[in-house]
Amino acid sequence: MPHAPSRLPTLLLTGFDPFGGETLNPSWLLAQALDGQEIAGHRVVARRLPCVFGQALDQLHQGLHDLQPALVLALGQASGRTDLSLERVAINVDDARIPDNAGAQPIDQPVLPEAPAAYFSTLPIKAMVAALREAGIPAGVSQTAGTFVCNHVFFGLQHALRDSPVRSGFMHIPLLPEQAARHAHAPSMSLATMCQGLRLALQVALQVQTDLRQSAGSLN
Ligand code: PCA
């Protein structure tokens, strides 16, 4: 029996506003491209976050509250990246090399003063990377999400869901070819390839989540 759309559990995808002089941010284009789609029995809902310390986390928290998602993946642009980068760890540091879109430039500040130094992604990042590579899509595990607004959101996300069974994580993506064309030797990836890769990565994340639930159930 097909589910009515509203009955499907929600998969929250976030992307960011353009920043740093760009007129677009592929992370939002990618989230938007999957908005409303069904992936492995889940309905994708895309939310756009401002590239602003504090405000981005407020809006993320609002999305978590409104949507009560079953899985969350935040996306961000990372110039210089050559592949779809599944981030392993979020650190409790805001240290901005450039101002955010509201002009703030925190240096050596904690994201959340009372929180631990770091959180790991709770997504099956190795399985996601393996599936992407198998499908011919460049992907890798990244050991740092930086210390700008992306890491800030990733850290706040993992903190918000720290006692929850809901899995969450962050993926950095390369520039689009039209962005990379304005710089010398800048790596890029087409939106179509990113879309294909993201759908596959999410399928794997949801499948592993289901497998874990089933094996947990079988222990009871
Ligand atoms: N990338 C930035 C912030 C927003 C985005 O898309 C980062 O990597 O921190």
Side-chain angles (χ1 to χ4, degrees):
M1 272 284 282
H3 295 277
S6 59
R7 298 270 173 196
L8 294 180
T10 298
L11 192 168
L12 173 59
L13 268 187
T14 67
F16 279 101
D17 281 342
F19 70 102
E22 295 284 346
T23 54
L24 57 83
N25 188 325
S27 69
W28 172 242
L29 299 185
L30 188 55
Q32 208 178 18
L34 267 64
D35 189 33
Q37 288 190 16
E38 186 183 332
I39 297 180
H42 292 65
R43 182 72 56 198
V44 176
V45 175
R47 286 279 172 107
R48 178 173 167 151
L49 303 179
C51 187
V52 176
F53 288 101
Q55 280 181 31
L57 263 188
D58 292 345
Q59 295 205 13
L60 175 73
H61 288 142
Q62 192 64 51
L64 294 175
H65 178 264
D66 294 348
L67 300 164
Q68 299 290 316
L71 188 109
V72 186
L73 181 66
L75 304 169
Q77 162 191 311
S79 61
R81 296 286 173 103
T82 56
D83 56 15
L84 298 180
S85 300
L86 275 303
E87 298 293 349
R88 189 195 292 269
V89 59
I91 61 172
N92 194 2
V93 176
D94 289 334
D95 193 46
R97 190 175 43 82
I98 57 170
D100 70 11
N101 285 357
Q105 192 170 3
I107 306 289
D108 295 339
Q109 300 287 314
V111 178
L112 300 167
E114 305 302 326
Y119 287 107
F120 289 118
S121 174
T122 50
L123 297 178
I125 55 174
K126 289 283 179 71
M128 293 161 84
V129 166
L132 288 168
R133 289 184 172 171
E134 180 71 20
I137 297 168
V141 169
S142 162
Q143 316 299 349
T144 173
T147 53
F148 194 48
V149 184
C150 285
N151 173 73
H152 179 83
V153 160
F154 183 20
F155 188 88
L157 172 63
Q158 300 310 102
H159 182 75
L161 297 177
R162 65 194 181 285
D163 295 323
S164 154
V166 174
R167 289 168 173 261
S168 55
F170 197 97
M171 187 169 87
H172 265 122
I173 62 175
L175 299 179
L176 292 174
E178 54 265 45
Q179 294 177 289
R182 294 197 297 276
H183 310 275
H185 313 299
S188 67
M189 190 182 284
S190 74
L191 192 61
T193 300
M194 292 192 203
C195 277
Q196 190 195 345
L198 178 56
R199 281 189 61 89
L200 180 57
L202 292 170
Q203 276 162 11
V204 171
L206 290 165
Q207 186 55 50
V208 170
Q209 176 150 295
T210 307
D211 291 348
L212 284 171
R213 251 195 244 116
Q214 281 166 355
S215 56
S218 68
L219 293 175
N220 292 333

